[in-house]
Amino acid sequence: MDYYSPLHSISLLFLAALSVLSLAQSSTIGVQYISRLLEVQDSEKAPPSVQVAAAYGVLQRLIPSHSSAFEFRIVSKEQCGGESCFIIKNHPSKHIRGAPEILITGVTGGEISAGLHWYLKHWCGSHISWETTGGAQLYLLPKLGSLPHVRDDGILVRRPVPWNYYQNAVSSSYSFAWWDWKRWEKEIDWMALQGINLPLAFTGQEAIWQKVFQKYNISSSDLDDFFGGPAFLAWSRMANLHGWGGPLPQSWLDQQLILQKKILARMYELGMTPVLPAFSGNVPAALKQVFPSAKITRLGNWFSVKSDPRWCCTYLLDATDALFIEIGRAFIEQQLKEYGRTGHIYNCDTFDENTPPEDDPEYISSLGAAIYSGMQSGDSEAVWLMQGWLFSYDPFWRPPQMKALLHSVPLGSMVVLDLFAEAKPIWITSEQFYGVPYIWCMLHNFAGNIEMYGILDAVASGPVDARRSKKSTMVGVGMSMEGIEQNPVVYDLMSEMAFQHNKIDVKAWIDQYSARRYGRSIPSIQDAWNILYHTIYNCTDGAYDKNRDVIVAFPDVDPSVISITHKRYGKYGKPVSRRAVLERERNSYDQPHLWYSTTEVIRALELFISSGDELSASKTYRYDLVDLTRQALAKYANKLFLEVIVAYTSNDVHGVVEHSKRFLELVDDMDTLLACHNGFLLGPWLESAKQLAQNAEQEKQFEWNARTQITMWFDNTEEEASLLRDYGNKYWSGLLGDYYGPRAAIYFKYLIESLEEGHGFRLKDWRREWIKLTNDWQSSRNLYPVVSVGDALATSRWLFNKYLQSSRAYDN
């Protein structure tokens, strides 16, 4: 116990306050509205023995050496005061050698798993992260027979609201596209430990659609034009595109359906409620020929260069058409037939970046009613879960239109995800979604980009403010990021909010976090994290703009239009939608902005490096060190690029040559840095794609999908790049060295030629060459490492001394 006393004493004070607060009444009006559904779901949970066994499975995979130290039991909600909870107690037989030491009870297997994590986190100083962001820090866990005791009367932790939601409709492509069961099992374990009980379950739905549409005389070849490729299914499902990256092999469809059944089985075993998809109106083109009188509309162009009908301009069946309800029912019923059960919650986002053709509230109400009828006709207990993203960016949705959609179904039959609540909460401006239950969500990440940012203060207080507000209809909290496996501090805090009744003191929490993450409390590291909290992780919503650092989004413009004023670092505006970001004027260049003091961040990195001799063995430390070094160098690269532009506008050929050389050297050095940690490698993304292939042709197709999603998609011409370029960019070793570096070199080559030959910048020639580079790279088959090489600490020290030690003057 003495070894853990500093962290343990802090945690005891923190948890003592929590246990008292958790006794307070936490229900909202919204919870009352969904009470019928909660009763139905409780009655359909897996048997207690199944859930306990599933929780033991999580424990066995996490810490097999301590599987005998814990006993798990299921308890009723009544034993938790009518709410979902977990209870941690000292085991009655703890003094007997070999007997369990800690007893954890919970309403579900998931609650038990969350209780296990709570105990490991707050009593044992442990930390659990994604494997790629450092993994689990459990090496200081006491040996069997020496686990820390809790207080005699135990610890009761209730959920303030019933649901903890997880995923975004596009996470399935940005992060999960190539996962097998081994990776999914790890993620479901992570979900359970974090207390997630309402995850999206979108895998395998194309196989369901194939069976449904076959009933309407739609052939497999017709669906080849309908489904996107494996890396683009999210946008195929949302009716943004069709066919791009396809066709899907039958083996893929069959494989994914088998995988989905495993995913659902494990989620149900843990007492989770998987959210299944529902029919949104997106239909194959062939349906128009089969049903010529059906109200099927062709949608507009979604970012293709030439409105190419091979992939753009999908078809949407009007929700008021009788066929809509029929297909909606068939889809729900086919899922029930395949999966054997349902949690009765279905996701449907018909209007996500697809604006209705009319704004008459009565018409919108009829659309919403028809969409819900499609679900309810297949499942009488159905509840519609809808992303509230459309209300964040589309001016179409004024109060009358919002009310018409939200009130088109019976109260309690729709739940809205306030998708971007940490930066732009809609519940405040919409009078609690006009009385409709909603889930407070943290969006945080776009496209799985690797950038250090977050709004920890908003995360630590926003859900509490929403729940305590007058006439609150909040029914859950959630994480709705577009991509995972980055910024672990943000997700550690947000997952904890599922059990927090009070606002968190972020400063105190950060101190605990750093001690847990590295297994010890080191003053210099705590100082570094406090700097990061006050700079990088306390940003305004402006930092959520699409960060386009020059290394991973080289400007496709004539250099003469690039502004070098405003301390050389402009700020983006504050677009609130993916569409707004991507529809910027093609011939403009918005400089990557800074929302923090670079001097302070470099100081934090210096503190990190100074602690390296003590922490270099820690996987979590090595991840954070590489990430923070990468962050500082990425912003320094912006400075170097602008120095190139200054030299160019001054007709200084020598300056352009020297600064360009320095920039390209930095890109190579960053590639070397990223190679030091498995979390920053291109190889695993490509190899996981290929491993799902059944033959050489599929392997080539899947790898092309994987390469294309992270660079430029979808279509382009020889001289015109796709609007959807670099949106899914990644700071990955291999990608910087083999793609972004050569791309930058081409740009610099044309700058130098322009000055040496006395003509303007040859923009069209530049575009031809970099577009060809991109297309060639996407089709290439060269291999990349899947295991890190190099010493993260030594490399970070070297790069700090080379680039940053004397570069504090580039502060914004």
Side-chain angles (χ1 to χ4, degrees), residues 508-569:
W509 187 90
I510 282 286
D511 287 343
Q512 294 179 46
Y513 172 83
S514 64
R516 289 194 304 263
R517 184 150 169 85
Y518 312 122
R520 65 192 72 178
S521 180
I522 297 178
S524 59
I525 287 289
Q526 286 193 326
D527 290 345
W529 269 106
N530 280 310
I531 291 172
L532 296 179
Y533 161 52
H534 289 295
T535 53
I536 284 177
Y537 291 112
N538 196 19
C539 61
T540 65
D541 61 330
Y544 282 76
D545 302 342
K546 196 63 182 155
N547 288 292
R548 297 171 68 82
D549 284 332
V550 71
I551 285 182
V552 291
F554 224 75
D556 183 33
V557 295
D558 188 311
S560 64
V561 306
I562 299 175
S563 170
I564 54 174
T565 58
H566 303 295
K567 293 186 180 179
R568 300 189 177 185
Y569 289 88

Side-chain angles (χ1 to χ4, degrees), residues 261-480:
K261 290 180 179 179
K262 290 183 178 180
I263 292 168
L264 292 176
R266 180 60 54 79
M267 289 177 174
Y268 287 131
E269 288 169 2
L270 285 163
M272 297 178 183
T273 299
V275 177
L276 296 175
F279 180 48
S280 65
N282 182 27
V283 295
L287 195 73
K288 195 169 179 64
Q289 279 70 56
V290 179
F291 296 94
S293 61
K295 290 190 282 187
I296 298 176
T297 304
R298 187 153 205 188
L299 299 176
N301 181 29
W302 192 78
F303 300 125
S304 73
V305 173
K306 296 295 183 183
S307 299
D308 194 322
R310 289 177 296 171
W311 7 88
C312 95
C313 312
T314 55
Y315 291 88
L316 192 70
L317 175 62
D318 194 297
T320 60
D321 193 296
L323 187 60
F324 188 103
I325 295 176
E326 185 181 331
I327 293 176
R329 178 175 62 250
F331 183 63
I332 297 294
E333 290 176 346
Q334 189 65 42
Q335 288 187 104
L336 290 172
K337 180 180 178 181
E338 291 288 339
Y339 305 145
R341 61 172 297 182
T342 175
H344 307 292
I345 301 181
Y346 302 92
N347 173 257
C348 181
D349 295 306
T350 300
F351 310 115
D352 186 8
E353 301 194 4
N354 294 318
T355 304
E358 300 177 28
D359 67 355
D360 177 41
E362 288 189 14
Y363 172 72
I364 292 171
S365 182
S366 68
L367 289 178
I371 292 168
Y372 178 66
S373 293
M375 301 176 203
Q376 191 182 39
S377 62
D379 178 359
S380 61
E381 301 290 348
V383 169
W384 178 3
L385 182 73
M386 181 182 72
Q387 291 189 146
W389 182 242
L390 68 168
F391 303 135
S392 295
Y393 73 89
D394 193 339
F396 173 90
W397 296 102
R398 303 179 300 281
Q401 288 71 31
M402 284 184 66
K403 290 177 184 177
L405 179 59
L406 294 170
H407 294 165
S408 63
V409 305
L411 188 61
S413 297
M414 176 186 282
V415 176
V416 183
L417 300 175
D418 198 354
L419 209 71
F420 202 14
E422 86 277 22
K424 191 178 181 182
I426 302 300
W427 70 268
I428 295 175
T429 58
S430 66
E431 301 171 21
Q432 305 271 355
F433 287 94
Y434 302 109
V436 171
Y438 74 94
I439 296 174
W440 193 103
C441 292
M442 177 193 76
L443 177 53
H444 180 255
N445 178 268
F446 291 89
N449 296 154
I450 299 172
E451 177 85 24
M452 294 179 74
Y453 60 91
I455 316 178
L456 294 185
D457 284 348
V459 169
S461 61
V464 178
D465 287 337
R467 178 172 50 82
R468 291 177 176 174
S469 62
K470 187 177 181 181
K471 296 183 179 179
S472 174
T473 57
M474 178 179 163
V475 295
V477 296
M479 295 182 282
S480 56

Side-chain angles (χ1 to χ4, degrees), residues 15-16 19-20 88-90 123 149-156:
L15 291 165
S19 62
V20 174
I88 306 170
K89 291 185 175 181
N90 301 317
W123 269 266
H149 296 164
V150 299
R151 67 187 191 213
D152 291 341
D153 57 344
I155 299 296
L156 166 67

Side-chain angles (χ1 to χ4, degrees), residues 23-34:
L23 299 176
Q25 180 57 252
S26 60
S27 291
T28 65
I29 296 173
V31 174
Q32 297 172 29
Y33 296 154
I34 61 168

